PDB file of all heavy atoms in Angstrom:
ATOM      1  N   GLY A 101     -15.793  11.361  10.570  1.00 92.00           N
ATOM      2  CA  GLY A 101     -15.419  12.658  11.110  1.00 92.00           C
ATOM      3  C   GLY A 101     -14.611  12.600  12.392  1.00 92.00           C
ATOM      4  O   GLY A 101     -13.516  13.181  12.463  1.00 92.00           O
ATOM      5  N   PRO A 102     -15.092  11.917  13.412  1.00 93.00           N
ATOM      6  CA  PRO A 102     -14.337  11.880  14.690  1.00 93.00           C
ATOM      7  C   PRO A 102     -12.964  11.230  14.552  1.00 93.00           C
ATOM      8  O   PRO A 102     -12.055  11.558  15.326  1.00 93.00           O
ATOM      9  CB  PRO A 102     -15.256  11.060  15.595  1.00 93.00           C
ATOM     10  CG  PRO A 102     -16.616  11.277  15.037  1.00 93.00           C
ATOM     11  CD  PRO A 102     -16.420  11.324  13.550  1.00 93.00           C
ATOM     12  N   ILE A 103     -12.817  10.326  13.599  1.00 93.00           N
ATOM     13  CA  ILE A 103     -11.507   9.699  13.376  1.00 93.00           C
ATOM     14  C   ILE A 103     -10.590  10.657  12.639  1.00 93.00           C
ATOM     15  O   ILE A 103      -9.422  10.824  12.992  1.00 93.00           O
ATOM     16  CB  ILE A 103     -11.669   8.372  12.615  1.00 93.00           C
ATOM     17  CG1 ILE A 103     -12.322   7.333  13.532  1.00 93.00           C
ATOM     18  CG2 ILE A 103     -10.334   7.877  12.078  1.00 93.00           C
ATOM     19  CD1 ILE A 103     -12.571   5.998  12.888  1.00 93.00           C
ATOM     20  N   LEU A 104     -11.118  11.321  11.609  1.00 94.00           N
ATOM     21  CA  LEU A 104     -10.322  12.279  10.857  1.00 94.00           C
ATOM     22  C   LEU A 104      -9.812  13.395  11.774  1.00 94.00           C
ATOM     23  O   LEU A 104      -8.678  13.857  11.627  1.00 94.00           O
ATOM     24  CB  LEU A 104     -11.160  12.887   9.730  1.00 94.00           C
ATOM     25  CG  LEU A 104     -10.488  13.963   8.892  1.00 94.00           C
ATOM     26  CD1 LEU A 104      -9.399  13.362   8.011  1.00 94.00           C
ATOM     27  CD2 LEU A 104     -11.513  14.722   8.065  1.00 94.00           C
ATOM     28  N   ASN A 105     -10.624  13.801  12.715  1.00 94.00           N
ATOM     29  CA  ASN A 105     -10.292  14.962  13.538  1.00 94.00           C
ATOM     30  C   ASN A 105      -9.536  14.625  14.823  1.00 94.00           C
ATOM     31  O   ASN A 105      -9.320  15.516  15.656  1.00 94.00           O
ATOM     32  CB  ASN A 105     -11.577  15.719  13.883  1.00 94.00           C
ATOM     33  CG  ASN A 105     -12.206  16.344  12.648  1.00 94.00           C
ATOM     34  OD1 ASN A 105     -11.510  16.867  11.781  1.00 94.00           O
ATOM     35  ND2 ASN A 105     -13.522  16.269  12.549  1.00 94.00           N
ATOM     36  N   ASN A 106      -9.110  13.380  14.981  1.00 96.00           N
ATOM     37  CA  ASN A 106      -8.381  12.998  16.192  1.00 96.00           C
ATOM     38  C   ASN A 106      -7.205  12.108  15.799  1.00 96.00           C
ATOM     39  O   ASN A 106      -7.202  10.904  16.043  1.00 96.00           O
ATOM     40  CB  ASN A 106      -9.304  12.288  17.170  1.00 96.00           C
ATOM     41  CG  ASN A 106      -8.664  12.108  18.530  1.00 96.00           C
ATOM     42  OD1 ASN A 106      -7.440  12.248  18.685  1.00 96.00           O
ATOM     43  ND2 ASN A 106      -9.461  11.779  19.521  1.00 96.00           N
ATOM     44  N   TYR A 107      -6.203  12.719  15.196  1.00 96.00           N
ATOM     45  CA  TYR A 107      -5.051  11.952  14.719  1.00 96.00           C
ATOM     46  C   TYR A 107      -4.297  11.299  15.865  1.00 96.00           C
ATOM     47  O   TYR A 107      -3.814  10.177  15.734  1.00 96.00           O
ATOM     48  CB  TYR A 107      -4.105  12.849  13.921  1.00 96.00           C
ATOM     49  CG  TYR A 107      -2.862  12.121  13.480  1.00 96.00           C
ATOM     50  CD1 TYR A 107      -2.904  11.289  12.364  1.00 96.00           C
ATOM     51  CD2 TYR A 107      -1.667  12.233  14.183  1.00 96.00           C
ATOM     52  CE1 TYR A 107      -1.788  10.595  11.960  1.00 96.00           C
ATOM     53  CE2 TYR A 107      -0.544  11.546  13.780  1.00 96.00           C
ATOM     54  CZ  TYR A 107      -0.604  10.732  12.667  1.00 96.00           C
ATOM     55  OH  TYR A 107       0.511  10.036  12.274  1.00 96.00           O
ATOM     56  N   ARG A 108      -4.238  11.974  16.981  1.00 96.00           N
ATOM     57  CA  ARG A 108      -3.463  11.440  18.099  1.00 96.00           C
ATOM     58  C   ARG A 108      -3.981  10.065  18.506  1.00 96.00           C
ATOM     59  O   ARG A 108      -3.207   9.153  18.802  1.00 96.00           O
ATOM     60  CB  ARG A 108      -3.511  12.397  19.286  1.00 96.00           C
ATOM     61  CG  ARG A 108      -2.724  11.889  20.508  1.00 96.00           C
ATOM     62  CD  ARG A 108      -2.800  12.850  21.660  1.00 96.00           C
ATOM     63  NE  ARG A 108      -2.094  14.096  21.369  1.00 96.00           N
ATOM     64  CZ  ARG A 108      -1.905  15.067  22.271  1.00 96.00           C
ATOM     65  NH1 ARG A 108      -2.399  14.936  23.489  1.00 96.00           N
ATOM     66  NH2 ARG A 108      -1.251  16.160  21.947  1.00 96.00           N
ATOM     67  N   GLU A 109      -5.295   9.905  18.510  1.00 96.00           N
ATOM     68  CA  GLU A 109      -5.857   8.641  18.961  1.00 96.00           C
ATOM     69  C   GLU A 109      -6.038   7.634  17.825  1.00 96.00           C
ATOM     70  O   GLU A 109      -5.908   6.427  18.034  1.00 96.00           O
ATOM     71  CB  GLU A 109      -7.208   8.892  19.636  1.00 96.00           C
ATOM     72  CG  GLU A 109      -7.840   7.648  20.241  1.00 96.00           C
ATOM     73  CD  GLU A 109      -8.996   7.971  21.153  1.00 96.00           C
ATOM     74  OE1 GLU A 109      -9.279   9.165  21.386  1.00 96.00           O
ATOM     75  OE2 GLU A 109      -9.639   7.014  21.631  1.00 96.00           O
ATOM     76  N   TYR A 110      -6.332   8.128  16.612  1.00 96.00           N
ATOM     77  CA  TYR A 110      -6.707   7.222  15.532  1.00 96.00           C
ATOM     78  C   TYR A 110      -5.727   7.200  14.357  1.00 96.00           C
ATOM     79  O   TYR A 110      -6.004   6.577  13.338  1.00 96.00           O
ATOM     80  CB  TYR A 110      -8.100   7.591  15.011  1.00 96.00           C
ATOM     81  CG  TYR A 110      -9.184   7.462  16.043  1.00 96.00           C
ATOM     82  CD1 TYR A 110      -9.866   8.585  16.497  1.00 96.00           C
ATOM     83  CD2 TYR A 110      -9.512   6.233  16.576  1.00 96.00           C
ATOM     84  CE1 TYR A 110     -10.866   8.487  17.447  1.00 96.00           C
ATOM     85  CE2 TYR A 110     -10.519   6.115  17.531  1.00 96.00           C
ATOM     86  CZ  TYR A 110     -11.188   7.238  17.959  1.00 96.00           C
ATOM     87  OH  TYR A 110     -12.171   7.133  18.903  1.00 96.00           O
ATOM     88  N   GLY A 111      -4.585   7.831  14.499  1.00 96.00           N
ATOM     89  CA  GLY A 111      -3.649   7.889  13.383  1.00 96.00           C
ATOM     90  C   GLY A 111      -3.178   6.522  12.922  1.00 96.00           C
ATOM     91  O   GLY A 111      -2.896   6.323  11.734  1.00 96.00           O
ATOM     92  N   SER A 112      -3.145   5.551  13.836  1.00 96.00           N
ATOM     93  CA  SER A 112      -2.677   4.205  13.478  1.00 96.00           C
ATOM     94  C   SER A 112      -3.639   3.478  12.547  1.00 96.00           C
ATOM     95  O   SER A 112      -3.289   2.443  11.973  1.00 96.00           O
ATOM     96  CB  SER A 112      -2.467   3.375  14.745  1.00 96.00           C
ATOM     97  OG  SER A 112      -3.682   3.255  15.455  1.00 96.00           O
ATOM     98  N   LYS A 113      -4.849   4.014  12.394  1.00 96.00           N
ATOM     99  CA  LYS A 113      -5.820   3.380  11.484  1.00 96.00           C
ATOM    100  C   LYS A 113      -5.531   3.715  10.023  1.00 96.00           C
ATOM    101  O   LYS A 113      -6.185   3.180   9.132  1.00 96.00           O
ATOM    102  CB  LYS A 113      -7.237   3.834  11.854  1.00 96.00           C
ATOM    103  CG  LYS A 113      -7.717   3.316  13.203  1.00 96.00           C
ATOM    104  CD  LYS A 113      -9.142   3.692  13.457  1.00 96.00           C
ATOM    105  CE  LYS A 113      -9.654   3.096  14.772  1.00 96.00           C
ATOM    106  NZ  LYS A 113      -9.713   1.631  14.723  1.00 96.00           N
ATOM    107  N   PHE A 114      -4.575   4.597   9.791  1.00 97.00           N
ATOM    108  CA  PHE A 114      -4.254   5.013   8.426  1.00 97.00           C
ATOM    109  C   PHE A 114      -2.936   4.394   7.982  1.00 97.00           C
ATOM    110  O   PHE A 114      -2.020   4.204   8.784  1.00 97.00           O
ATOM    111  CB  PHE A 114      -4.192   6.538   8.339  1.00 97.00           C
ATOM    112  CG  PHE A 114      -5.531   7.192   8.575  1.00 97.00           C
ATOM    113  CD1 PHE A 114      -5.943   7.502   9.863  1.00 97.00           C
ATOM    114  CD2 PHE A 114      -6.382   7.457   7.515  1.00 97.00           C
ATOM    115  CE1 PHE A 114      -7.191   8.076  10.085  1.00 97.00           C
ATOM    116  CE2 PHE A 114      -7.624   8.039   7.727  1.00 97.00           C
ATOM    117  CZ  PHE A 114      -8.032   8.336   9.020  1.00 97.00           C
ATOM    118  N   SER A 115      -2.845   4.102   6.689  1.00 96.00           N
ATOM    119  CA  SER A 115      -1.652   3.451   6.160  1.00 96.00           C
ATOM    120  C   SER A 115      -1.278   4.026   4.802  1.00 96.00           C
ATOM    121  O   SER A 115      -2.055   4.765   4.196  1.00 96.00           O
ATOM    122  CB  SER A 115      -1.895   1.943   6.028  1.00 96.00           C
ATOM    123  OG  SER A 115      -2.969   1.695   5.126  1.00 96.00           O
TER     124      SER A 115
END
Side-chain angles (χ1 to χ4, degrees):
I103 290 178
L104 177 70
N105 293 320
N106 191 345
Y107 177 80
R108 179 180 292 186
E109 184 167 356
Y110 298 114
S112 60
K113 292 185 176 294
F114 294 87
S115 61

